[in-house]
Amino acid sequence: MTTKKSYKPQEIVRPDASEKDSTAGPPGNTLGLFSAAGLPSVDAMREYAVDAWQRSILYADVMRQRGNQYQAHLTEEVPHVLDFPSEVVMFGRDLPRPVNYWLVRIIPPYDKPTDHMKRPFVVIDPRAGHGPGIGGFKVDSEIGVVIGAGHPCYFIGFLPDPVPGQTIEDVMHAEAAFLEKVIALHPCREGKPAVIGNCQAGWQILMTAAMRPELFGPIIVAGAPLSYWAGWRGRNPMRYAAGLLGGSWLTAMTSDLGAGRFDGAWLVQNFENLNPANTLWSKQHHVYTNIDDEAPRYLGFEKYWGGYVYLNDVEMQYIVDNLFVGNRLATTELLTSDGVRIDLRNIRSPIVVFCSYGDNITPPPQALGWITDLYDDDKDVLTHDQTIIYATHESVGHLGIFVSGAVSRKEHHKFATNIDLIDVLPAGIYRATIAENPQKDAVLSTESYELSVQREGIASVREIVQPDPESDRRFAAVAQVSKINLGLYRQFVQPWVRQAVTPQTAYWVQTVHPLRLSYEWWSDRNPLAPVIANTAKKVREQRTPIAGDNPFLQIQGAWSDAIVKTLNLWQDVRDDAYEKVFEWTYSSPWVQALTGEAADDESSRRRPSVSPEHRAFVAQEIAGLRNAAAEGGAVEAGIRAVFYIHRFCSSIDERRANLTLELHQPDCNLGFNMDSFRDIVRRQANIIRIDADAAIAALPQLLAREEPARIREVARTLERLRSLGPLSTIEESSLTHMLDVFNVAATSQEAVLS
């Protein structure tokens, strides 16, 4: 039986005095591991040597399995890493504008059947170098928590090779078609499909939602970059890459060398380069040190990590020119081929932005910067009726945002189980926090953790993003330099490259990519593989790992730590040099003048304008809300009362939301119309926001239309607010006021009926 080893430099476990062995060495010796002189004993050296040899054989065998797994993955007709059974619903290649995407339904396990009263979820993985399936490659995943919460679940994936000529816009139309299909399959379920977009899929699905807002329920974007110039000084060096390489001409040449296809392995290579310590040492050393139980996890992830895919040259060039370099998404500068402007302000669904301070691919400024790019103040957000919820993690890395089991069990689980709360939030900016449930309620919340949303302002987002006009001018200069260099490449170099490259040449260029070679060179195709496989089998049969306190194992750990620190130091020096060279180059008055970026310009990132038609629409809506203060019945009155009671409290948790849900639907056995409930909640919130006094003064008119029993039922539900935690003095006073209003209305109705 094997046990997991661990090393702790400077912490060697020693027995108590009562366990000393006079024959084992000096006082404090551990099972004969030290000689009389206090040095590691020959026995310790021999044990470590045997163990290290065994681990080396087992490690080589794991690498052999890794290569076999890579080869087998390449032969699959539809390569993916989904760990859930599924059935194909729709192929993108059958659409009028064919693409290499497909839609599948996730088949839930027997013990976790789908609740047909719940809205469907659609999970979309990034097409950013790797194949699909990472959103559901294990039980503790996004798909896992959706299935666990009883929701119907769908997944949008893709094939390794794009359809010739497909564009980003074609993919957007395909995603819209997939959502139309999901909606058609669930006509009786209340609420539009909730959509989860990871990384690249996040910004792409938001572009689709801006084009077809009527198809979407709540949207969760995890680790998705949307404001590509943003970042903190001294960190996030990836955003400097285009400027240091002279723009997107290299992207065009890479696609040309691939005969019209861009190899996604280059995108993965960029990711690997960010953390040389992990890439060159830590990841493999961790497997080697913990070889007895780390192999299954490692191989499971490597199946995804080595599943490289391709993009069309036009797709990749669009992404780099318009997003990474041009940063045109958050300023509404993108147009579809038929002239539709892609404006994220058109999205009517709540948008949940989940990002992490430990993410060096999509740091919080890039995930949240689009908000400060689009909106000047909180009033601007409200007048566009947009709901934005952001949640930040303190430490998890980029992949962990949508891969980590701990994150799935906590953050993604709470997002999935509270998707209806998220859907009905009134317009505004909110910060979501997940903490231990202070007061479990068998009816309203039995979870160990509780989701709460705190109303914030755009100032809180701006504090995270830290917009920098000077930095924007540098990146604007990069965008202009990129256009110049790309034009020169296309005019003078591209024809020669395309003439020289054949499909066979492109194949060999892709085959010898360093990342592909790391999987290709060692598998059962290697003549030495059978020797290693047989030896590894014998080692496992007699394997006995050494204790974690072996001094040579401790030395190995200390040596590994020294290597990691050295590589981290190199990374810091390299990243600092990148930043300094970038700033020196693009802060130059000559460069900025030649690119049209004058130093005295107020900003190179001007917010999109608001049309006169929009201002007229807002004025009309406000007038309509004032007139609607006297419209409705007990449900509207109860929800309005809740907003009035908590008008000075900016926090909403799931227990209060569930209680509000009871106001609308006291009988859970009846059908529930989520769209209707959402409209009522958002409308009553706006009525209170415009004129709270007039809204409360109109309550008797609303209650006069109801039966006394229904009025008292709503009042009893309101009274339960006291059981959800202590109320402030103002909240308690407002609750007493509301209960008096409801009591008077019920008494008056009883008098009329008698």
Side-chain angles (χ1 to χ4, degrees):
M1 182 176 180
T2 61
T3 57
K4 185 176 181 178
K5 302 182 297 301
S6 63
Y7 64 85
K8 296 182 180 179
Q10 303 175 354
E11 183 183 343
I12 298 178
V13 180
R14 301 184 185 279
D16 296 331
S18 59
E19 299 175 343
K20 293 178 182 178
D21 182 352
S22 60
T23 64
N29 192 6
T30 304
L31 303 178
L33 298 179
F34 291 87
S35 66
L39 298 175
S41 68
V42 174
D43 288 340
M45 183 183 300
R46 182 170 56 250
E47 290 176 3
Y48 176 78
V50 172
D51 182 76
W53 176 80
Q54 290 181 336
R55 280 186 285 136
S56 298
I57 295 297
L58 296 177
Y59 174 81
D61 192 57
V62 169
M63 294 300 105
R64 178 189 63 83
Q65 297 175 52
R66 173 178 178 257
N68 292 342
Q69 179 178 262
Y70 170 80
Q71 298 291 347
H73 197 56
L74 292 178
T75 64
E76 295 176 5
E77 183 179 355
V78 184
H80 63 81
V81 294
L82 280 177
D83 192 42
F84 295 85
S86 61
E87 58 182 6
V88 176
V89 175
M90 193 172 178
F91 273 116
R93 65 191 179 200
D94 299 326
L95 295 172
R97 300 167 70 167
V99 296
N100 64 327
Y101 282 70
W102 37 262
L103 172 71
V104 299
R105 183 181 76 88
I106 303 298
I107 301 174
Y110 178 78
D111 59 339
K112 294 180 180 179
T114 295
D115 184 344
H116 295 281
M117 296 297 292
K118 294 185 175 182
R119 74 169 77 231
F121 269 73
V122 180
V123 179
I124 311 173
D125 271 351
R127 182 164 159 248
H130 300 105
I134 199 64
F137 84 121
K138 57 183 178 180
V139 174
D140 291 327
S141 61
E142 293 167 334
I143 290 178
V145 299
V146 169
I147 291 294
H151 290 270
C153 187
Y154 293 81
F155 179 79
I156 296 177
F158 42 87
L159 298 172
D161 294 301
V163 173
Q166 80 176 39
T167 65
I168 293 297
E169 186 178 331
D170 293 336
V171 175
M172 291 164 55
H173 283 286
E175 290 172 339
F178 292 156
L179 285 173
E180 289 175 336
K181 183 66 174 180
V182 172
I183 293 172
L185 291 172
H186 300 274
C188 298
R189 288 182 174 85
E190 304 301 342
K192 298 285 174 52
V195 180
I196 300 176
N198 295 319
C199 188
Q200 173 270 344
W203 58 254
Q204 188 163 279
I205 205 65
L206 287 181
M207 291 172 65
T208 306
M211 184 179 68
R212 297 288 305 277
E214 75 280 4
L215 299 176
F216 289 80
I219 303 170
I220 302 172
V221 290
L226 292 159
S227 187
Y228 305 88
W229 294 353
W232 294 310
R233 196 175 187 283
R235 299 169 63 181
N236 319 134
M238 180 174 277
R239 62 190 179 128
Y240 301 129
L244 296 174
L245 295 172
S248 67
W249 69 272
L250 189 58
T251 302
M253 188 175 76
T254 304
S255 297
D256 291 337
L257 291 174
R261 294 193 310 172
F262 185 93
D263 188 354
W266 290 110
L267 299 175
V268 182
Q269 183 76 69
N270 288 339
F271 184 94
E272 295 271 31
N273 291 340
L274 282 177
N275 190 346
N278 182 71
T279 299
L280 301 176
W281 182 258
S282 298
K283 181 168 69 172
Q284 304 303 329
H285 179 262
H286 180 73
V287 177
Y288 170 74
T289 303
N290 302 278
I291 194 65
D292 297 300
D293 52 13
E294 186 65 13
R297 185 208 64 81
Y298 175 78
L299 290 173
F301 182 75
E302 285 296 300
K303 183 178 181 181
Y304 166 75
W305 199 244
Y308 308 120
V309 300
Y310 299 90
L311 293 89
N312 273 338
D313 52 357
V314 292
E315 290 181 289
M316 194 64 209
Q317 204 65 42
Y318 180 96
I319 293 171
V320 175
D321 287 338
N322 292 301
L323 304 180
F324 296 153
V325 177
N327 201 18
R328 303 174 66 196
L329 175 59
T331 48
T332 70
E333 299 175 64
L334 297 179
L335 297 174
T336 64
S337 59
D338 51 357
V340 176
R341 186 172 297 278
I342 299 176
D343 188 343
L344 298 182
R345 295 174 299 181
N346 291 337
I347 299 174
R348 299 276 65 85
S349 306
I351 303 171
V352 179
V353 181
F354 182 34
C355 54
S356 172
Y357 288 99
D359 185 352
N360 59 355
I361 297 288
T362 307
Q366 292 191 11
L368 298 171
W370 64 278
I371 303 172
T372 56
D373 286 342
L374 277 178
Y375 298 112
D376 184 46
D377 53 32
D378 296 321
K379 181 181 178 181
D380 203 9
V381 178
L382 296 177
T383 58
H384 282 88
D385 196 31
Q386 193 155 72
T387 303
I388 303 169
I389 308 101
Y390 70 90
T392 58
H393 195 284
E394 290 301 315
S395 60
V396 71
H398 179 70
L399 289 173
I401 293 175
F402 42 91
V403 170
S404 167
V407 171
S408 295
R409 290 189 296 271
K410 186 178 179 182
E411 280 83 1
H412 288 294
H413 172 73
K414 298 311 295 182
F415 294 150
T417 55
N418 290 280
I419 199 67
D420 292 336
L421 160 61
I422 291 170
D423 195 18
V424 301
L425 285 174
I429 296 175
Y430 301 83
R431 177 172 57 86
T433 56
I434 299 172
E436 291 188 8
N437 193 345
Q439 184 179 354
K440 292 185 180 181
D441 187 307
V443 176
L444 298 178
S445 178
T446 60
E447 299 280 346
S448 300
Y449 292 97
E450 179 181 79
L451 171 72
S452 64
V453 288
Q454 185 89 12
R455 183 179 286 278
E456 298 279 359
I458 200 167
S460 65
V461 178
R462 190 172 287 114
E463 185 177 348
I464 296 174
V465 176
Q466 300 176 18
D468 182 359
E470 179 62 30
S471 178
D472 286 347
R473 276 192 288 272
R474 298 188 194 104
F475 283 102
V478 171
Q480 295 302 319
V481 168
S482 178
K483 289 180 181 178
I484 296 169
N485 288 342
L486 180 60
L488 292 172
Y489 170 77
R490 284 176 170 168
Q491 182 67 31
F492 299 109
V493 181
Q494 189 176 65
W496 296 95
V497 176
R498 289 186 171 180
Q499 185 69 25
V501 174
T502 65
Q504 292 75 21
T505 306
Y507 171 78
W508 285 110
V509 168
Q510 292 156 2
T511 302
V512 298
H513 188 284
L515 292 186
R516 294 182 187 276
L517 287 177
S518 70
Y519 291 87
E520 291 273 5
W521 76 276
W522 182 235
S523 67
D524 280 346
R525 296 181 179 183
N526 192 300
L528 294 177
V531 178
I532 293 296
N534 292 332
T535 307
K537 181 180 179 181
K538 295 177 181 178
V539 167
R540 291 190 188 95
E541 293 173 353
Q542 53 185 335
R543 172 78 171 140
T544 304
I546 59 174
D549 61 355
N550 184 286
F552 289 96
L553 189 62
Q554 301 287 325
I555 293 171
Q556 174 192 312
W559 179 251
S560 175
D561 288 345
I563 293 174
V564 170
K565 289 178 181 178
T566 301
L567 290 172
N568 284 338
L569 177 61
W570 152 247
Q571 175 188 333
D572 292 341
V573 172
R574 180 200 65 183
D575 293 350
D576 183 64
Y578 283 173
E579 185 171 73
K580 284 182 168 55
V581 171
F582 178 89
E583 291 182 349
W584 178 84
T585 302
Y586 293 99
S587 293
S588 166
W590 288 99
V591 173
Q592 294 204 351
L594 289 172
T595 57
E597 295 298 322
D600 57 352
D601 282 353
E602 181 181 346
S603 175
S604 296
R605 294 282 291 163
R606 292 182 174 85
R607 294 183 185 87
S609 61
V610 177
S611 67
E613 291 80 7
H614 176 75
R615 293 192 180 95
F617 171 78
V618 170
Q620 182 180 352
E621 283 293 299
I622 291 175
L625 289 170
R626 291 184 184 278
N627 295 331
E631 298 175 358
V635 173
E636 288 80 2
I639 293 173
R640 190 180 301 181
V642 171
F643 280 116
Y644 178 74
I645 293 166
H646 295 300
R647 65 192 182 281
F648 296 114
C649 176
S650 58
S651 179
I652 305 171
D653 60 50
E654 55 190 276
R655 291 176 297 137
R656 288 187 175 90
N658 290 336
L659 188 143
T660 305
L661 194 65
E662 289 187 11
L663 293 171
H664 183 263
Q665 188 64 61
D667 187 352
C668 295
N669 293 320
L670 297 177
F672 181 76
N673 191 321
M674 175 55 68
D675 290 337
S676 170
F677 179 61
R678 182 176 188 268
D679 290 342
I680 292 174
V681 169
R682 292 173 69 88
R683 190 171 183 81
Q684 297 308 312
N686 287 332
I687 289 173
I688 285 287
R689 184 183 291 125
I690 290 172
D691 192 338
D693 293 337
I696 297 305
L699 285 180
Q701 294 176 257
L702 275 64
L703 297 174
R705 306 182 179 105
E706 296 287 349
E707 296 290 330
R710 177 62 174 140
I711 297 173
R712 295 194 184 279
E713 180 183 21
V714 173
R716 286 192 296 271
T717 303
L718 291 175
E719 196 168 6
R720 288 176 59 195
L721 287 171
R722 293 191 175 106
S723 68
L724 302 184
L727 300 176
S728 67
T729 303
I730 295 178
E731 288 173 329
E732 180 62 40
S733 175
S734 299
L735 175 58
T736 301
H737 180 203
M738 291 297 96
L739 294 176
D740 289 343
V741 170
F742 277 74
N743 182 56
V744 169
T747 302
S748 299
Q749 289 294 89
E750 289 168 346
V752 171
L753 294 175
S754 64

